Amino acid sequence: MFFLFSNCDRINAKVDENKHSSRLIVGSTIDEVGDVDEVVDDEFEYVDRMDPAEKYCKHAETRYLIEAWANLIEGVGQEFSKGVKEFRAVLARYAIENDFMYRLVKNDQLRVTAVCVIERCEWHVHAIVNRTNGVFRIKKCHNQHNCGSTYRTNKYKRVSSSLVADEIAEIVEKKPKTSPVDMLDWLRWYVEVASATNPGSILRLEFDPVSKEFSRLFVSFDACIKEFNYCRPFLCLDATHLKGRFKGTLFAATGKDANQSTLSPRPITFITDRNAGLVNNIPIMFPGCHHAYCLYHLQFNLKDHFSGCFRKGFWNRLVELFNKCAYASSVSVYKAVEEEFYQFGGDKARIFIASVPKEHWSNVYFEGQRYSEMSSSAVESFNNWILKAREMPVFYLVDELRRKIMKQMAARRVKSMKWNSIIYPKMEMKLARFIDRGRSWRIIMSKGGLYEVRCRSPKVVSVEEMTCSCGYWQSIGFMCRHAATVIIKVCGGKGNLVDHIDPLYLVDAYRCVYEEAIYPIVESDIPDFTKEGDRVTSTK
């Protein structure tokens, strides 16, 4: 789900009123923190090898914008008037389009020698500088490979943000009239093609029909809309700065699937860094939903509140007590720890707690479900995942995010087909640890499915209500070690475990999340937007 907007009256999550800024919301699901850019299995590589032109492109002869790169290296005697920098750039483009990797044996300002990375392959090129005029010239070249065929992939390391930037610069040089309005028309074209190749998706581009000033772009692919029904109703919100020509901010909404897992009628739990715009607008735009504050950001707010020079031990103890308040499992425990926090921090501690309503950050007072998530680290992982894309122009940024999410969904679809278990593998391993942990505990029955678990810190488990006094079961929908011990020992054994687990943790649900697909968008026959006839004439 993409949402890009600037200087508009109607917004979903307003960050500021800066007339010249832009905002982009991107929706995706991730398994867990640090598991965003996962390794793709070999079985998945066929996706990159597919040629979608026959299905989606009416002009196959012009389907790739980079086809001209295939003949950039001509042979011995070819000259590069801009020197070694131009030669390196041409060599990288040539290798990208011809689908091979090379390594530089020699690489300095006077000479460059490149060979194929496959041993015994005869392809090589050697160029040197003419010291009198600085022109680089190919002296030796064997332009044929004997290392076998290769396939285009999305992970070619020579494709960089600087290369993309150079390409855009060349386009602007060739078309000096290219302007932000041209990029707006390019987005209009993108919306039309994306709608055609992904039926059921929702795409809206809004702008001022008179001034052609961009207002906002919303893209929600049909596959993402359908998958949310099998995801936990939980979203992390955060913003990251864009580094392209027009700057702006990428506003990301990141969810998790139940493998350590977005809109439907279900109440959603949002977790944010407590930005003022979000605090004010989430209750308006999403009534009935719940807003949790990121504990990690609150810790920094706490340190800023206690301005001054304090020993490291003071900070550590202050944060420790605050965390205990956040994780408290009962009101009595919370009040005891809160009083200790006040005694340690004094009046400043009381003022800070009063300024941050505890129903937004303390587990015991929070009315929604946080699914054991106390911070917005998931969206931070997403921001790192799209780090290079942030440097791209808006059009390329939007499409790069589509490709990354498309590939991620396809990779997980393939991965899940290998699973033979009923429960997600990660959660199944966690359940096994829970069962092993409780082998020595005693269970005392009360009535109506109510049990007392005799462990170091005794707990009360209600099997019928699927709750435990530790708070874990009801907060995440997956049984805790106390509940697992009760079910194993007195409620039917292992065969009864699945009946007490939220269906979202089952493998079938995971497969449903990624069953649908986002389809490719081929950059074919893009209009010349500098021509008056191709200009935007109305809003979409």
Side-chain angles (χ1 to χ4, degrees), residues 343-366:
Q343 291 178 1
F344 185 79
D347 291 339
K348 283 192 173 184
R350 292 181 182 275
I351 295 173
F352 181 79
I353 293 294
S355 68
V356 188
K358 50 181 173 288
E359 59 268 21
H360 290 292
W361 58 272
S362 175
N363 276 341
V364 70
Y365 290 102
F366 189 69

Side-chain angles (χ1 to χ4, degrees), residues 372-386:
S372 75
E373 299 288 341
M374 300 297 287
S375 70
S376 56
S377 56
V379 77
E380 298 293 346
S381 294
F382 179 84
N383 291 340
N384 290 330
W385 189 47
I386 52 93

Side-chain angles (χ1 to χ4, degrees), residues 204-250:
R204 298 288 186 272
L205 175 62
E206 297 184 5
F207 48 87
D208 188 311
V210 178
S211 67
K212 302 299 189 295
E213 182 180 356
F214 171 75
S215 178
R216 51 185 168 182
L217 169 68
F218 179 85
V219 180
S220 183
F221 289 105
D222 182 61
C224 296
I225 296 172
K226 292 178 179 178
E227 76 171 20
F228 181 68
N229 291 324
Y230 302 95
C231 291
R232 297 182 295 183
F234 173 83
L235 287 174
C236 296
L237 304 180
D238 195 17
T240 184
H241 295 291
L242 300 179
K243 300 181 179 180
R245 174 183 174 187
F246 302 106
K247 304 304 178 183
T249 301
L250 178 68

Side-chain angles (χ1 to χ4, degrees), residues 45 48-49 64 66 96-99 150-154:
E45 285 299 320
D48 283 332
R49 301 168 189 170
Y64 292 124
I66 61 172
I96 290 170
E97 178 57 21
N98 288 283
D99 299 326
T150 55
Y151 298 94
R152 181 186 308 278
T153 70
N154 289 335

